[in-house]
Amino acid sequence: VGANSEKYRKLSETECASLRRELGYAEDEKLLLCTGELLSNKNQITAIRAMDALRKKQPKVRLLLAGNGPTLPELQAEVDRLELQNHVEFLGYRTDLERYANIADVVVSCSYREGLPMNIVEGMLLGKPVVASYNRGHRELIVPDVTGFMVPPTDAGAFAEKIALLLNDTVLVADMGQAGYEKAQLYADANVCRELQKVYEL
């Protein structure tokens, strides 16, 4: 039925600053959000490995991993191995992801396969640039170098490079965020309902 555009409503800078404080994050922290069930296909381990390189460029960067699933022990072990405890946070299953998406600087997805990934649509509705892996679902949503960046799914270095580029360029973030917002309107609930109505009226 499309992304919930009422729930995923972009907050003002003041509202986001207040929400950051409420959720326990410092104003100068750089937050990355990666959402999805913890499965091999979702490939969150690449996002964790990207953090190992990224923290050297952005000491105050933090990856928020939202979701539960069978690969949780493996992912936690990788965080421990790379000593990333201060840079990776497991949020578990959340019903308030719109709050985390609003305060995120970049939305990240490393999955091998996707249909139509609503987490990407929701991030774009909030004006967030995306760094994602090459796959069919991501290609449908992301215009490379316009609404975000696309890289090979296991290339942690490429993820780190593109994320760092965004975290150091506020103009690029704003431009990609706006382009993504416009693209996401195609998948918002109101537009999907209009398209369905046209189908039923034929």
Side-chain angles (χ1 to χ4, degrees):
V1 296
N4 187 332
S5 54
E6 180 63 28
K7 184 176 182 180
Y8 284 87
R9 175 185 63 85
K10 186 176 181 180
L11 301 180
S12 68
E13 289 187 13
T14 301
E15 289 173 314
C16 284
S18 175
L19 185 54
R20 271 182 174 249
R21 290 192 296 271
E22 180 186 336
L23 294 173
Y25 302 108
E27 184 178 345
D28 60 349
E29 278 190 274
K30 302 295 186 180
L31 301 177
L32 316 177
L33 180 63
C34 183
T35 304
E37 193 172 358
L38 305 183
L39 301 170
S40 296
N41 175 58
K42 295 296 186 181
N43 189 35
Q44 289 97 340
I45 200 163
T46 293
I48 290 171
R49 290 170 178 163
M51 292 296 293
D52 190 35
L54 192 56
R55 65 175 168 178
K56 298 166 187 173
K57 303 174 183 178
Q58 290 281 349
K60 293 190 176 181
V61 69
R62 186 189 297 256
L63 172 65
L64 308 179
L65 288 174
N68 288 329
T71 62
L72 177 59
E74 175 190 357
L75 298 175
Q76 291 174 324
E78 189 71 357
V79 168
D80 291 341
R81 184 182 75 83
L82 296 172
E83 299 182 349
L84 289 169
Q85 294 88 344
N86 294 329
H87 298 278
V88 178
E89 181 178 349
F90 293 92
L91 299 178
Y93 176 75
R94 307 290 311 195
T95 58
D96 60 347
L97 277 173
E98 73 281 0
R99 303 209 305 161
Y100 290 90
N102 251 301
I103 65 171
D105 295 288
V106 180
V107 171
V108 178
S109 180
C110 309
S111 52
Y112 292 110
R113 296 174 302 281
E114 287 289 351
L116 184 67
M118 292 308 294
N119 61 313
I120 300 296
V121 177
E122 290 159 354
M124 290 166 68
L125 276 176
L126 297 177
K128 305 301 178 180
V130 179
V131 180
S133 51
Y134 289 112
N135 65 47
R136 181 177 61 83
H138 288 162
R139 285 190 183 96
E140 184 170 340
L141 291 175
I142 300 165
V143 181
D145 303 333
V146 177
T147 65
F149 294 117
M150 296 184 71
V151 300
T154 59
D155 193 339
F159 270 98
E161 178 186 346
K162 296 303 186 183
I163 293 168
L165 184 61
L166 286 166
L167 296 182
N168 286 297
D169 192 333
T170 56
V171 173
L172 180 61
V173 166
D175 289 347
M176 283 190 164
Q178 179 60 32
Y181 172 79
E182 294 170 6
K183 174 79 171 178
Q185 299 310 306
L186 295 172
Y187 306 94
D189 46 9
N191 187 65
V192 171
C193 288
R194 283 193 296 269
E195 293 300 316
L196 285 173
Q197 184 175 358
K198 290 178 185 177
V199 171
Y200 289 129
E201 289 173 350
L202 291 177

